[in-house]
């Protein structure tokens, strides 16, 4: 019996762990078996424990638990989320004095759970955005006002806003991910109509992602984000506050170096890069490849599959409609990245400059909360330099179409910062 296009699409979605919510984990669990209640109690109470400077002492009294009673994938994902929150809170409870060692009762189970999931033993984007959500009314709609987080960090409503707006952006990528798979099938079948339809879905999805991203301005306070929240997403690789990494007691005698939670770990954005054939400069490309280590295996596999030949760019050039549709996708991705630059400027660069100016005027010196990272992003890169680099590379992926009187302006001639 001949396989239909819809059946092939569903097969590919299953292969790459894509659901009807895209890369978002559907129906995440709210709780673990009774044996693990100490983990969940600490994770649910983490804001209070951090604010009262009690988290480290509580974690140091944690019993060593086996992971053998975690019997399902969703239980492992919730355990990784909870242990990731506890780890970040433990390390950064005292921002000016981050922990150098992770206690054995936390380090060992976190490492074992991470190995089961093929994820690193640190909080990732796939944890705090893709697997950290619930509906206030289970019968209600999947919209921001009906959503909440399973676990939260200090930062008042800004933590909720930051993570849930990121979730909404990921949900907006669903149509584009289906478009990517449709384009992939159409390339195999030399189906120009299918290619055009898939490209149009990708462009529409990227535009919707930018629209939803704009909600960040409404739901996140820049002072709370920079001064309170950002540090809890920071890792111990290329971090000036933890230059010697972190020792996982009972696991490694030598320090471990892991990157913090970053939007660069979004499998959706890297998938769009891969299908469109965006070629990043060497340093940015290496950072993006490194970020794939922090993605669930199926998501990473999709990106690597899309990077393999044949190249979409080579197939669209002979056809003006495909050529135009391809360029529309690239332009939409470029616009999304330009908008991301504006968000980073508002929430990191501007408050960072204000905090440094305030610290410089303080007669006692010191420097306020959030200053320790400086211009380093939570993933370990310089966010503005990185984002400008990937934005510029995206612009350079546009293909001129002389037959339509098109030419691609150099980026310096465009209205860009």
């Amino acid at each position: 019996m001949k396989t239909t296009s819809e059946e092939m699409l569903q097969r590919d979605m299953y292969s790459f762990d894509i659901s009807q919510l895209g890369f978002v984990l559907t129906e995440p669990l709210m709780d673990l078996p009774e044996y693990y209640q100490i983990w969940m109690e600490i994770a649910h109470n983490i804001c209070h424990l951090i604010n009262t400077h009690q988290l480290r002492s509580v974690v140091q009294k944690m019993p060593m638990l086996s992971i053998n009673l975690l019997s399902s994938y969703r239980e492992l994902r919730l355990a990784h989320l909870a242990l990731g929150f506890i780890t970040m809170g433990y390390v950064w409870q005292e921002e000016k004095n981050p922990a150098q060692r992770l206690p054995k009762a936390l380090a060992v189970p976190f490492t074992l759970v991470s190995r089961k999931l093929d994820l690193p033993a640190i909080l990732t984007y796939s944890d705090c955005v893709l697997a950290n959500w619930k509906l206030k009314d289970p019968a209600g709609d999947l919209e921001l006002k009906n959503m909440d987080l399973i676990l939260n960090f200090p930062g008042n409503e800004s933590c909720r806003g930051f993570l849930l707006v990121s979730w909404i952006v990921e949900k907006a990528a669903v149509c584009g991910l289906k478009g990517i798979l449709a384009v992939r099938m159409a390339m195999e079948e030399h189906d120009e109509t299918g290619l055009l339809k898939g490209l149009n879905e990708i462009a529409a999805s990227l535009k919707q992602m930018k629209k939803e991203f704009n909600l960040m301005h409404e739901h996140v306070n820049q002072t709370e984000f920079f001064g309170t929240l950002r540090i809890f997403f920071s890792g111990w690789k290329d971090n000036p506050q933890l230059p010697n990494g972190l020792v996982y007691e009972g696991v490694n005698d030598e320090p471990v170096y892991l990157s913090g939670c970053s939007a660069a770990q979004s499998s959706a954005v890297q998938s769009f890069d891969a299908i469109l054939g965006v070629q990043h400069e060497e340093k940015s490309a290496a950072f993006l490849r490194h970020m794939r280590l922090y993605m669930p295996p199926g998501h990473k596999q999709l990106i690597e599959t899309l990077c393999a030949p044949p190249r979409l760019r080579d197939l669209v050039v002979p056809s003006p409609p495909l050529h135009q549709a391809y360029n529309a996708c690239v332009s939409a991705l470029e616009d999304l990245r330009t908008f991301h630059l504006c968000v980073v400027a508002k929430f990191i660069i501007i408050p960072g400059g204000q905090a440094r100016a305030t610290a410089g005027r303080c007669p006692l010196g010191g420097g306020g909360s959030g200053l320790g990272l400086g211009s380093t992003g939570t993933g370990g890169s310089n966010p503005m330099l990185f984002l400008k680099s990937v934005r510029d590379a995206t612009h350079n992926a546009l293909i001129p179409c002389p037959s339509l009187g098109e030419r691609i302006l150099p980026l310096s001639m465009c209205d860009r910062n």
Side-chain angles (χ1 to χ4, degrees), residues 6 69 120 251 267 297 400:
E6 183 61 29
L69 297 182
V251 180
S267 306

Side-chain angles (χ1 to χ4, degrees), residues 162-184:
F162 177 69
L163 295 178
L164 289 180
V165 169
S166 299
W167 189 98
I168 293 291
V169 173
E170 288 287 332
K171 181 173 174 287
V174 173
C175 176
L177 292 174
K178 291 181 178 180
I180 285 173
L181 296 178
V183 164
R184 182 170 170 266

Side-chain angles (χ1 to χ4, degrees), residues 12-328:
D12 284 351
M13 289 177 67
Y14 179 81
S15 298
F16 298 120
D17 197 18
I18 301 172
S19 72
Q20 293 304 316
L21 294 177
F23 288 130
V24 171
L25 180 68
T26 57
E27 300 179 355
L29 298 179
M30 301 296 108
D31 211 349
L32 291 174
E34 181 68 26
Y35 177 74
Y36 301 103
Q37 283 311 291
I38 184 64
W39 293 353
M40 297 309 298
E41 287 174 7
I42 294 173
H44 280 299
N45 202 30
I46 201 162
C47 291
H48 171 73
L49 293 173
I50 290 172
N51 290 333
T52 58
H53 304 275
Q54 298 180 72
L55 180 60
R56 288 184 182 173
S57 61
V58 169
V59 170
Q60 287 161 4
K61 297 171 186 174
M62 267 176 38
M64 173 68 75
L65 300 183
S66 166
I67 71 162
N68 292 338
L69 297 182
L70 297 169
S71 58
S72 72
Y73 177 71
R74 279 178 171 74
E75 286 183 351
L76 288 167
R77 288 292 297 269
L78 180 56
H80 200 273
L81 173 68
L83 294 173
F85 262 74
I86 295 170
T87 294
M88 300 311 240
Y90 184 90
V91 171
W92 299 111
Q93 174 182 288
E94 312 298 336
E95 181 182 345
K96 295 180 182 178
N97 184 28
Q100 309 292 315
R101 308 176 69 87
L102 207 59
K104 184 176 180 179
L106 176 55
V108 170
F110 193 19
T111 299
L112 294 176
V113 167
S114 299
R115 289 173 182 170
K116 288 267 190 180
L117 293 169
D118 195 15
L119 288 171
I122 191 170
L123 188 73
T124 67
Y125 182 92
S126 67
D127 294 317
C128 60
V129 174
L130 304 183
N132 186 30
W133 65 279
K134 60 183 179 181
L135 294 178
K136 296 176 182 177
D137 175 8
D141 293 332
L142 276 169
E143 55 187 11
L144 199 56
K145 64 182 180 181
N146 189 39
M147 295 183 67
D148 209 345
L149 299 173
I150 299 172
L151 299 177
N152 209 341
F153 277 129
N156 299 318
E157 284 298 298
S158 288
C159 180
R160 178 181 177 276
F162 177 69
L163 295 178
L164 289 180
V165 169
S166 299
W167 189 98
I168 293 291
V169 173
E170 288 287 332
K171 181 173 174 287
V174 173
C175 176
L177 292 174
K178 291 181 178 180
I180 285 173
L181 296 178
V183 164
R184 182 170 170 266
M185 284 191 295
M187 289 168 65
E188 294 173 353
E189 299 173 359
H190 305 286
D191 175 8
E192 183 168 328
T193 300
L195 268 177
L196 185 60
K197 182 174 183 291
L199 288 170
N200 288 338
E201 289 174 348
I202 291 171
S205 183
L206 286 164
K207 291 175 183 177
Q208 186 65 26
M209 290 171 70
K210 179 187 172 185
K211 179 181 177 182
E212 303 292 9
F213 202 177
N214 194 53
L215 292 170
M216 202 69 75
H217 297 299
E218 181 181 343
H219 292 278
V220 182
N221 177 280
Q222 66 185 121
T223 301
E224 288 177 348
F225 177 82
F226 182 84
T228 302
L229 179 59
R230 187 170 74 118
I231 192 65
F232 295 107
F233 297 121
S234 303
W236 25 98
K237 181 181 187 299
D238 300 324
N239 187 334
Q241 290 186 270
L242 274 175
N244 299 317
L246 184 71
V247 174
Y248 286 61
E249 293 180 353
V251 180
N252 305 92
D253 293 329
E254 296 298 318
V256 173
Y257 297 85
L258 293 172
S259 300
C261 180
S262 165
Q265 294 169 10
S266 168
S267 306
V269 175
Q270 288 214 36
S271 294
F272 292 124
D273 264 350
I275 192 65
L276 296 173
V278 177
Q279 298 295 310
H280 295 288
E281 61 89 18
E282 185 176 348
K283 185 175 181 180
S284 296
F287 179 73
L288 287 168
R289 286 193 299 271
H290 175 69
M291 289 294 100
R292 294 176 198 168
L293 300 175
Y294 298 77
M295 300 175 184
H299 305 175
K300 177 170 56 180
Q301 183 186 354
L302 173 61
I303 297 166
E304 292 169 352
T305 299
L306 295 173
C307 287
R311 295 201 322 157
L312 173 63
R313 287 171 60 86
D314 297 332
L315 300 178
V316 302
V317 172
S319 166
L322 291 180
H323 195 154
Q324 286 183 300
Y326 170 86
N327 275 354

